[in-house]
Amino acid sequence: EASQALTTNCGGASSAKKRAGGGYGRHIGTARTMATYVQITGALDTGKAYNMERVLRSNIMSSDYYGQLCKILDFMELVDEIYNEVDHVEPWMSGNARGPSSAFCLLFRLFTMNLDDDNVKHLIHHRDSPYIRALGFLYIRYVRDPKEFGRWMDPFIRDEELFAPTAGGKEVTVGAFVRDLILDQYYFETIFPRTPEVY
């Protein structure tokens, strides 16, 4: 049975291509919500900021790792990359190497894929890694309509899964992480887009 996979590149149009077998990697069978793959149209503009600060975005776009990510054309392969490579969700690498983190390079690559609702649900309901979930919530915080934050975020306010947002740092619950995303404009050393006071 053929499955549809979301495919795109960093500078061109995105489309849905059929792929036989549906063998998308180890995580697809364990996610709480399965993603469906629908056609996404429209050219992707790599000049878009996606509400991300200019310096951070510029460093991501010029990084070798992001260049490698642009070769990944399948959404589920990108989810596997998050599983394998992300161990914190700070914007910048820790230590002396002050490049963009793997997490934020992957997040920006997700931006360029223009995910549909089912793709986003797949991320935030994922069972295999809280970092996959965290990137899903960051995706929502950056590029989804703030008026819909309640629909996306409220079900997770009391989520008790533990993870460490910082490299080797203190663990927090996913619920606490989500609440901070909603209420705070500052995220580590970067700034989120403003949200309406009504939320």
Side-chain angles (χ1 to χ4, degrees):
E1 176 178 77
S3 298
Q4 282 189 323
L6 176 65
T7 62
T8 185
N9 59 47
C10 289
S14 55
S15 62
K17 293 184 180 179
K18 287 190 175 181
R19 169 174 156 181
Y24 288 117
R26 69 180 68 83
H27 313 303
I28 195 165
T30 57
R32 296 187 187 105
T33 300
M34 297 300 292
T36 57
Y37 302 94
V38 298
Q39 186 169 0
I40 293 177
T41 59
L44 294 175
D45 179 7
T46 56
K48 288 183 68 174
Y50 300 101
N51 294 314
M52 186 174 283
E53 278 191 301
R54 180 182 60 82
V55 172
L56 178 56
R57 174 185 166 273
S58 177
N59 275 270
I60 289 171
M61 295 290 289
S62 62
S63 72
D64 291 340
Y65 182 58
Y66 184 73
Q68 293 293 322
L69 292 178
C70 287
K71 299 174 184 178
I72 298 178
L73 306 181
D74 182 275
F75 169 70
M76 292 307 300
E77 288 181 16
L78 203 63
V79 173
D80 279 347
E81 184 74 6
I82 299 169
Y83 179 87
N84 291 322
E85 299 299 330
V86 173
D87 60 6
H88 69 86
V89 287
E90 296 178 70
W92 299 95
M93 294 169 60
S94 58
N96 294 327
R98 293 299 294 165
S101 68
S102 297
F104 266 64
C105 288
L106 283 153
L107 178 63
F108 200 87
R109 183 69 180 101
L110 290 171
F111 293 159
T112 67
M113 283 188 159
N114 192 24
L115 304 183
D116 66 18
D117 281 4
D118 287 324
N119 298 137
V120 177
K121 288 175 184 176
H122 183 82
L123 295 174
I124 63 178
H125 286 279
H126 213 286
R127 286 181 174 174
D128 285 355
S129 169
Y131 297 104
I132 295 172
R133 302 183 68 200
L135 285 191
F137 292 120
L138 283 164
Y139 183 95
I140 294 166
R141 182 63 176 83
Y142 270 105
V143 298
R144 286 303 175 103
D145 185 348
K147 294 178 182 177
E148 297 188 353
F149 281 178
R151 173 172 75 91
W152 286 108
M153 306 284 211
D154 284 356
F156 301 95
I157 293 296
R158 293 178 176 83
D159 194 302
E160 294 298 319
E161 183 173 12
L162 291 169
F163 79 113
T166 61
K170 179 182 177 181
E171 288 189 331
V172 301
T173 65
V174 168
F177 180 77
V178 169
R179 286 194 297 272
D180 287 345
L181 292 186
I182 296 169
L183 297 175
D184 293 344
Q185 187 181 355
Y186 293 93
Y187 181 79
F188 293 101
E189 299 171 14
T190 190
I191 301 176
F192 283 139
R194 292 187 179 275
T195 56
E197 295 293 334
V198 292
Y199 188 84

